[in-house]
Amino acid sequence: MAQYDKSDLERRMAGAVESLKGDLSGLRTGRANVMLLDPVTVTVYGASMPLNQVATVSAPEPRMLSVQVWDKTNVGPVDKAIRSAGLGLNPIVDGQTLRLPIPDLTEDRRKELAKLASKYAEAARIAVRNVRRDGMDSLKADEKKGEISEDDRKRKETEVQKLTDGVIAELDATFAAKEKEILGQ
Protein backbone atom coordinates (compact mmCIF):
# COMPACT_ATOMS: atom_id res chain seq x y z
CA MET A 1 0.00 0.00 0.00
CA ALA A 2 1.44 3.36 -1.06
CA GLN A 3 2.12 5.88 1.72
CA TYR A 4 2.11 9.02 -0.46
CA ASP A 5 -1.14 10.98 -0.25
CA LYS A 6 -1.17 14.31 -2.07
CA SER A 7 -4.51 15.40 -0.63
CA ASP A 8 -3.16 14.87 2.90
CA LEU A 9 -0.14 17.06 2.09
CA GLU A 10 -2.40 19.76 0.64
CA ARG A 11 -4.63 19.64 3.74
CA ARG A 12 -1.66 19.92 6.11
CA MET A 13 -0.11 22.80 4.16
CA ALA A 14 -3.47 24.62 4.06
CA GLY A 15 -3.62 24.16 7.84
CA ALA A 16 -0.29 25.96 8.19
CA VAL A 17 -1.67 28.88 6.15
CA GLU A 18 -4.83 29.05 8.27
CA SER A 19 -2.77 28.88 11.45
CA LEU A 20 -0.65 31.82 10.27
CA LYS A 21 -3.75 33.84 9.39
CA GLY A 22 -5.19 33.14 12.84
CA ASP A 23 -1.95 34.15 14.56
CA LEU A 24 -1.65 37.35 12.53
CA SER A 25 -5.28 38.34 13.06
CA GLY A 26 -4.62 38.54 16.80
CA LEU A 27 -1.90 41.14 16.35
CA ARG A 28 -3.16 44.61 17.13
CA THR A 29 -2.60 47.17 14.42
CA GLY A 30 -4.35 50.18 15.90
CA ARG A 31 -7.71 49.18 14.45
CA ALA A 32 -10.49 47.50 16.38
CA ASN A 33 -10.70 43.76 15.71
CA VAL A 34 -12.92 41.45 17.76
CA MET A 35 -10.28 38.71 17.48
CA LEU A 36 -8.03 40.87 19.64
CA LEU A 37 -9.94 39.60 22.68
CA ASP A 38 -9.80 35.89 21.73
CA PRO A 39 -7.02 35.07 24.23
CA VAL A 40 -8.97 36.60 27.15
CA THR A 41 -10.38 34.09 29.62
CA VAL A 42 -12.76 35.08 32.39
CA THR A 43 -13.23 33.29 35.71
CA VAL A 44 -16.98 33.19 36.36
CA TYR A 45 -19.35 30.64 37.90
CA GLY A 46 -16.32 28.88 39.40
CA ALA A 47 -14.78 28.13 36.00
CA SER A 48 -12.42 29.79 33.55
CA MET A 49 -14.01 30.34 30.15
CA PRO A 50 -13.37 32.35 26.97
CA LEU A 51 -14.73 35.89 26.92
CA ASN A 52 -17.04 35.10 23.99
CA GLN A 53 -18.95 32.64 26.24
CA VAL A 54 -19.98 35.34 28.72
CA ALA A 55 -20.28 38.41 26.49
CA THR A 56 -20.77 39.66 22.95
CA VAL A 57 -17.77 41.43 21.44
CA SER A 58 -18.25 43.92 18.61
CA ALA A 59 -16.36 46.71 16.88
CA PRO A 60 -18.85 49.60 16.52
CA GLU A 61 -16.13 52.06 15.48
CA PRO A 62 -12.73 51.64 13.81
CA ARG A 63 -10.88 52.40 17.05
CA MET A 64 -13.33 51.06 19.65
CA LEU A 65 -14.34 47.61 20.85
CA SER A 66 -17.56 47.04 22.73
CA VAL A 67 -18.10 44.11 25.11
CA GLN A 68 -21.74 43.51 26.06
CA VAL A 69 -21.74 41.28 29.18
CA TRP A 70 -24.80 39.04 29.36
CA ASP A 71 -25.01 38.74 33.16
CA LYS A 72 -24.51 41.97 35.10
CA THR A 73 -22.78 40.10 37.97
CA ASN A 74 -19.97 39.21 35.51
CA VAL A 75 -19.07 42.79 34.57
CA GLY A 76 -16.37 43.03 37.26
CA PRO A 77 -14.64 39.72 36.38
CA VAL A 78 -14.75 40.58 32.65
CA ASP A 79 -13.23 44.02 33.33
CA LYS A 80 -10.50 42.44 35.47
CA ALA A 81 -9.76 39.72 32.87
CA ILE A 82 -9.36 42.27 30.04
CA ARG A 83 -7.07 44.50 32.14
CA SER A 84 -4.90 41.56 33.24
CA ALA A 85 -4.64 39.98 29.76
CA GLY A 86 -1.64 42.14 28.87
CA LEU A 87 -3.24 43.59 25.76
CA GLY A 88 -2.71 47.21 26.77
CA LEU A 89 -6.46 47.88 26.86
CA ASN A 90 -8.28 49.74 29.62
CA PRO A 91 -12.04 49.11 29.60
CA ILE A 92 -14.52 51.86 30.41
CA VAL A 93 -17.49 50.34 32.24
CA ASP A 94 -20.93 51.63 31.19
CA GLY A 95 -23.56 49.45 32.87
CA GLN A 96 -23.30 45.98 31.31
CA THR A 97 -21.22 47.32 28.42
CA LEU A 98 -17.47 47.74 28.47
CA ARG A 99 -15.97 50.11 25.91
CA LEU A 100 -12.35 49.53 24.94
CA PRO A 101 -10.68 52.40 23.07
CA ILE A 102 -7.79 51.16 20.92
CA PRO A 103 -4.77 53.41 21.60
CA ASP A 104 -2.38 54.57 18.89
CA LEU A 105 0.64 52.36 18.32
CA THR A 106 4.09 53.78 18.92
CA GLU A 107 6.85 53.21 16.37
CA ASP A 108 8.69 50.86 18.75
CA ARG A 109 5.54 48.81 19.34
CA ARG A 110 4.94 48.60 15.59
CA LYS A 111 8.46 47.22 15.10
CA GLU A 112 7.93 44.67 17.88
CA LEU A 113 4.66 43.54 16.28
CA ALA A 114 6.36 43.26 12.88
CA LYS A 115 9.08 41.05 14.42
CA LEU A 116 6.43 38.87 16.05
CA ALA A 117 4.57 38.58 12.75
CA SER A 118 7.85 37.56 11.10
CA LYS A 119 8.33 34.81 13.70
CA TYR A 120 4.80 33.52 13.05
CA ALA A 121 5.46 33.49 9.29
CA GLU A 122 8.76 31.64 9.69
CA ALA A 123 7.11 29.03 11.92
CA ALA A 124 4.46 28.49 9.23
CA ARG A 125 7.17 28.16 6.53
CA ILE A 126 8.95 25.56 8.67
CA ALA A 127 5.69 23.64 9.10
CA VAL A 128 5.16 23.62 5.32
CA ARG A 129 8.73 22.45 4.69
CA ASN A 130 8.22 19.66 7.23
CA VAL A 131 5.11 18.55 5.35
CA ARG A 132 7.14 18.60 2.11
CA ARG A 133 9.83 16.47 3.75
CA ASP A 134 7.20 13.96 4.92
CA GLY A 135 5.83 13.76 1.37
CA MET A 136 9.28 13.24 -0.13
CA ASP A 137 10.10 10.57 2.48
CA SER A 138 6.89 8.68 1.75
CA LEU A 139 7.64 8.79 -2.00
CA LYS A 140 11.12 7.36 -1.40
CA ALA A 141 9.63 4.65 0.83
CA ASP A 142 7.08 3.79 -1.88
CA GLU A 143 9.87 3.53 -4.46
CA LYS A 144 11.97 1.36 -2.14
CA LYS A 145 9.01 -1.02 -1.66
CA GLY A 146 8.66 -1.20 -5.44
CA GLU A 147 5.19 0.37 -5.46
CA ILE A 148 6.22 3.22 -7.78
CA SER A 149 9.00 3.61 -10.31
CA GLU A 150 11.87 6.09 -10.09
CA ASP A 151 10.28 8.21 -12.83
CA ASP A 152 6.95 8.31 -10.92
CA ARG A 153 8.78 9.31 -7.74
CA LYS A 154 10.61 12.14 -9.52
CA ARG A 155 7.40 13.38 -11.16
CA LYS A 156 5.53 13.33 -7.86
CA GLU A 157 8.44 15.03 -6.06
CA THR A 158 8.18 17.83 -8.63
CA GLU A 159 4.44 18.10 -7.86
CA VAL A 160 5.16 18.27 -4.13
CA GLN A 161 7.79 20.97 -4.69
CA LYS A 162 5.39 23.03 -6.84
CA LEU A 163 2.71 22.70 -4.15
CA THR A 164 5.23 23.75 -1.50
CA ASP A 165 6.39 26.75 -3.54
CA GLY A 166 2.78 27.90 -4.03
CA VAL A 167 1.96 27.63 -0.33
CA ILE A 168 5.19 29.41 0.69
CA ALA A 169 4.30 32.22 -1.74
CA GLU A 170 0.84 32.46 -0.15
CA LEU A 171 2.42 32.61 3.32
CA ASP A 172 4.82 35.33 2.19
CA ALA A 173 1.97 37.37 0.68
CA THR A 174 -0.09 37.05 3.86
CA PHE A 175 2.86 38.12 6.00
CA ALA A 176 3.75 41.04 3.70
CA ALA A 177 0.18 42.36 3.85
CA LYS A 178 0.12 42.16 7.65
CA GLU A 179 3.57 43.74 7.96
CA LYS A 180 2.45 46.63 5.75
CA GLU A 181 -0.67 47.03 7.91
CA ILE A 182 1.36 46.95 11.14
CA LEU A 183 3.94 49.45 9.99
CA GLY A 184 1.22 51.74 8.65
CA GLN A 185 2.58 51.95 5.13
Side-chain angles (χ1 to χ4, degrees):
M1 176 83 184
Q3 291 180 329
Y4 174 72
D5 184 4
K6 185 178 178 184
S7 62
D8 181 53
L9 296 178
E10 291 171 341
R11 178 189 58 77
R12 290 170 58 196
M13 287 185 185
V17 172
E18 291 306 312
S19 176
L20 175 65
K21 288 180 180 178
D23 290 343
L24 293 180
S25 68
L27 293 180
R28 186 163 59 105
T29 60
R31 283 190 224 124
N33 182 348
V34 295
M35 295 179 83
L36 179 63
L37 297 177
D38 282 353
V40 177
T41 56
V42 184
T43 304
V44 290
Y45 309 122
S48 184
M49 54 184 66
L51 177 64
N52 63 5
Q53 292 184 3
V54 295
T56 303
V57 180
S58 62
E61 299 174 27
R63 299 188 46 86
M64 176 79 67
L65 285 174
S66 176
V67 179
Q68 180 68 41
V69 183
W70 301 329
D71 183 352
K72 65 182 174 184
T73 60
N74 294 337
V75 172
V78 168
D79 179 40
K80 182 179 176 185
I82 292 172
R83 288 180 192 276
S84 64
L87 299 172
L89 299 174
N90 293 312
I92 301 167
V93 179
D94 182 18
Q96 283 183 240
T97 303
L98 284 82
R99 303 201 190 295
L100 292 93
I102 307 296
D104 287 330
L105 292 175
T106 63
E107 189 63 29
D108 289 340
R109 181 68 178 141
R110 287 179 188 274
K111 288 178 182 176
E112 287 175 27
L113 287 173
K115 283 182 186 177
L116 185 58
S118 177
K119 286 181 185 177
Y120 289 157
E122 186 56 32
R125 285 187 206 102
I126 290 169
V128 169
R129 288 193 295 264
N130 287 339
V131 172
R132 177 190 61 195
R133 186 195 62 228
D134 292 346
M136 299 294 196
D137 289 349
S138 66
L139 285 171
K140 289 175 186 171
D142 289 349
E143 181 189 11
K144 194 172 187 178
K145 291 178 191 173
E147 295 176 4
I148 62 173
S149 68
E150 182 180 354
D151 290 341
D152 285 343
R153 177 186 56 85
K154 287 183 178 180
R155 188 173 359 90
K156 289 181 180 182
E157 282 180 348
T158 303
E159 287 177 10
V160 171
Q161 186 59 49
K162 283 183 183 178
L163 175 64
T164 302
D165 292 343
V167 172
I168 295 284
E170 183 179 354
L171 291 173
D172 290 343
T174 302
F175 165 67
K178 187 64 174 188
E179 184 179 43
K180 184 176 179 182
E181 181 183 334
I182 288 171
L183 297 175
Q185 298 171 344

